Amino acid sequence: MNLVIALLSTRTYLTAEQIRATVAGYQDSPSDEAFSRMFERDKNELRDLGVPLETGRASAFETIEGYRINRVAYALPPVELSADEAAAVAIATQLWESQEMVNATQGALLKLRAAGVDVDQPDADVAITAVAMPGLRGSEEALGILLSAIDSGRAVQFSHRANRGAPYVDRTLEPWGVVTYRGRWYVVGHDRDREAPRTFRVSRIGDGVRAVGPDRAVTRPDGVNLRDIVHRAVSEWPAGEQARVWVARGRATSLRREAAGSVPSIRDGRDGDELSLDIGMVDRLAREIAGYGADAVVVEPESLRDNVIGRLRAQAGQAVRR
Amino acid sequence: MSNVSNRLVRLLNMVPYFQANPQISHAEAAAELGVTRKQLLADLNQLWMCGLPGGGPGDLIDLDFEGDTIEVMFSAGMDRALRLTSPEATGVLMALRALVDVPGVVDPEAARSAIAKIEAAAGAAGGSAAGAPTLADEDVENQATAAVRAATRDRRALSIEYHSASHDTVSQRVVDPIRIAVIGDRSYLEAWCRTAEGVRLFRFDRIVDARVLDEPSAPPEPAVQAGPDTSLFSAESADPTLPSATLLIDASVSWMFDYYPLRVLRELPDGGWEAAMTYASDDWMARFVLGFGAGVQVLGPPGLVERVAHCAVTALAAYGVSIGE
């Protein structure tokens, strides 16, 4: 603590000797060696905490290097958050459960408060419940390890599977960053085995992620836009095509809500409406339509109609087999 | 981070914190700093002994904390908060980004501008994580969502139009908001439904319309005490009083395990699984199975099996297809 204060307040560089002589806590060092060790330990601790230590010579005549902390580099730049923005931050930080991420965000909140930002303890209005459905975002533990590796510039090794039915494959990645895209996390980097950039969904990474190799071994190439890489890797094909589906009166609510247009229509003596729907993801739409059984009938396109009929046949066929 | 480092960071930030929050009480300060009152006192006493080199009375940090509140008399140059480290910046930014896309949890516009400001303040430290490009119209919160959020925050009753998936209807009802819950990937309004006379979870993307009412939200106290009932979402906490379907899941739809609370009973030699899933609505479950076609086969209970078979046959008839073909 005293070391930081001294190094912040000095206008020139303080040598180790000067520090030893004037900074409380070091004067009682029993020997040169004890002081050296203590001083090294303290310097390393400060570096780990992100306190920027600068070295240099106090003057042209000074042969020994000294230390100081650049006030500008040390401090959090002024931040002002509106009440709504601060509220959003307070709620968001409740997302984390793992000790590592909780500590990190609590640390951030403390610094923000120290900078005068009014981030209150959030009310109990929003509860982020931990429910065991791990497939969605992915393990916080894996995320923590990845972020830590990215921070130190280390490569990572992990096992990854394309989907739940596929086997795990070991990968070695030089990670450049983690991107949040449509609520999912993706780690992007240089895949050493495939010798090309790759994107991996964090929720598909297995336990046992580990950082390997030395610090600063990984550098992110210039001009690489992580968001673009993920967007291209992950995007669905644009919709464009529309379907026409007849739905019975008072039924198929979810289809009705999605419909771009609706026209009353009678089919087989039943009242209903013909809906125009953007197709989007065919699998999802076909599943939804098939679920409504006789209450939703595809008029066109033929491919969607066949898809739905195929599902219904499979279910009816199972019944016949019994 | 070790305890020693944690303490050092706290000490480094405490003086600017007290300067920014003058006359703050011991209790509030302890809560915001994340320590006990006793630890706070120990920290304050420690700070009192720190100061500029020289060690004279004018060099030491001076704090007045004898009464209920804390005041900084001399900071010894410790006026600014330490800048954010990479894990700190990333932790806040990623949390904000994860929740921006979940309706009703945070005000999306406020969240996005908070992200921009914190990114700017963090500088290079925020670089390990990035978010998706934002589109202008994604910022505007849906009117119904905003109304629900406002009602929950201000403790007012709500009139909502809700699309119930289990009953395949949209109906209007008056509810008393309790809290907003994020379960898995989605957000829900946990509220006392006056019609059903019970606590219900209303999924935000199924709240078609919402109007804040002039009366206060007054859910019965026992309902507020209990947390949200998430038994239908989690395979582990299945409600034994509800029916459970036995399903054969084909390998091609293995992704289902990520989205639905399926309990694996056994793995099958062809790569599929036999699994169980608790459900509350026969109608919903039948639709669920039917939609998956060849991907899912229902083995039980018998009533459900019959229902699915019947629906499939009548649906095929609507297409003019008979099973023999």
Side-chain angles (χ1 to χ4, degrees), chain A residues 141-157:
Chain A
E141 210 186 298
L143 181 70
I145 298 171
L146 289 170
L147 291 174
S148 179
I150 291 167
D151 200 27
S152 3
R154 297 179 75 187
V156 289
Q157 277 181 346

Side-chain angles (χ1 to χ4, degrees), chain B residues 32 43 132 193 323:
Chain B
E32 294 209 316
D43 289 345
C193 177
I323 324 169

Side-chain angles (χ1 to χ4, degrees), chain A residues 12-67:
Chain A
T12 69
Y13 294 93
L14 292 179
T15 64
E17 276 312 306
Q18 286 171 314
I19 289 169
R20 183 178 183 176
T22 60
V23 176
Y26 292 119
Q27 290 127 346
D28 301 328
S29 305
S31 68
D32 285 354
E33 206 189 299
F35 164 71
S36 276
R37 265 186 285 122
M38 205 159 65
F39 187 44
E40 272 315 300
R41 192 199 60 203
D42 289 345
K43 269 192 292 163
N44 286 333
E45 191 179 2
L46 291 184
R47 283 208 183 94
D48 285 343
L49 294 182
V51 177
L53 276 179
E54 287 183 340
T55 55
R57 300 222 181 90
S59 73
F61 300 106
E62 185 61 63
T63 47
I64 306 172
E65 274 206 333
Y67 306 88

Side-chain angles (χ1 to χ4, degrees), chain B:
Chain B
M1 216 200 279
S2 68
N3 277 334
V4 174
S5 309
N6 263 333
R7 192 176 186 220
L8 180 58
V9 173
R10 196 171 61 243
L11 290 176
L12 288 172
N13 288 300
M14 269 171 85
V15 178
Y17 169 76
F18 289 127
Q19 282 187 310
N21 296 277
Q23 305 288 358
I24 194 169
S25 72
H26 282 253
E28 212 181 319
E32 294 209 316
L33 292 164
V35 294
T36 60
R37 292 276 294 263
K38 197 169 147 198
Q39 180 66 53
L40 175 64
L41 221 40
D43 289 345
L44 289 167
N45 280 313
Q46 176 75 53
L47 282 176
W48 231 16
M49 298 193 295
C50 298
L52 293 164
D59 296 317
L60 295 177
I61 291 175
D62 191 8
L63 303 158
D64 178 6
F65 54 95
E66 274 173 52
D68 286 328
T69 61
I70 300 161
E71 190 81 44
V72 178
M73 314 303 284
F74 178 62
S75 69
M78 302 298 299
D79 302 306
R80 308 293 303 281
L82 193 53
R83 66 170 45 231
L84 295 174
T85 60
S86 190
E88 287 168 349
T90 311
V92 175
L93 292 172
M94 291 200 71
L96 282 167
R97 289 191 189 109
L99 292 176
V100 156
D101 290 325
V102 184
V105 183
V106 291
D107 173 356
E109 220 177 296
R112 288 196 206 279
S113 57
I115 287 171
K117 287 184 179 176
I118 294 175
E119 266 180 341
S128 341
T134 61
L135 302 169
D137 41 333
E138 280 178 13
D139 276 1
V140 177
E141 195 177 27
N142 172 292
Q143 177 275 330
T145 304
V148 174
R149 223 166 31 83
T152 309
R153 185 192 61 218
D154 302 334
R155 310 213 193 289
R156 303 260 285 278
L158 267 177
S159 164
I160 61 173
E161 265 189 55
Y162 186 68
H163 165 204
S164 159
S166 44
H167 299 115
D168 190 26
T169 51
V170 175
S171 57
Q172 193 260 354
R173 49 188 100 191
V174 176
V175 303
D176 296 282
I178 298 172
R179 60 176 72 90
I180 293 170
V182 174
I183 300 171
D185 222 12
R186 300 197 192 269
S187 50
Y188 299 78
L189 166 68
E190 184 190 344
W192 174 264
C193 177
R194 295 185 186 176
T195 324
E197 288 192 341
V199 175
R200 296 286 180 270
L201 286 167
F202 298 99
R203 217 168 87 174
F204 262 92
D205 61 354
R206 295 214 204 99
I207 298 175
V208 178
D209 199 11
R211 215 167 24 97
V212 182
L213 301 174
D214 263 333
E215 46 178 300
S217 169
E221 195 48 40
V224 180
Q225 294 305 328
D229 173 14
T230 57
S231 63
L232 273 182
F233 299 90
S234 161
E236 278 82 31
S237 62
D239 183 343
T241 66
L242 291 174
S244 172
T246 311
L247 308 169
L248 286 181
I249 311 280
D250 188 70
S252 62
V253 285
S254 59
W255 60 264
M256 286 177 71
F257 286 95
D258 287 341
Y259 288 84
Y260 300 104
L262 294 161
R263 307 185 294 280
V264 176
L265 298 172
R266 58 189 179 108
E267 281 184 34
L268 303 173
D270 66 351
W273 300 267
E274 188 179 310
M277 183 168 153
T278 299
Y279 61 98
S281 155
D282 290 334
D283 201 28
W284 186 92
M285 195 64 203
R287 267 186 272 132
F288 181 75
V289 172
L290 207 49
F292 278 100
V296 173
Q297 187 181 351
V298 57
L299 299 177
L304 181 63
V305 174
E306 264 174 53
R307 191 188 183 115
V308 168
H310 175 78
C311 287
V313 169
T314 46
L316 285 170
Y319 281 97
V321 172
S322 65
I323 324 169
E325 291 174 41

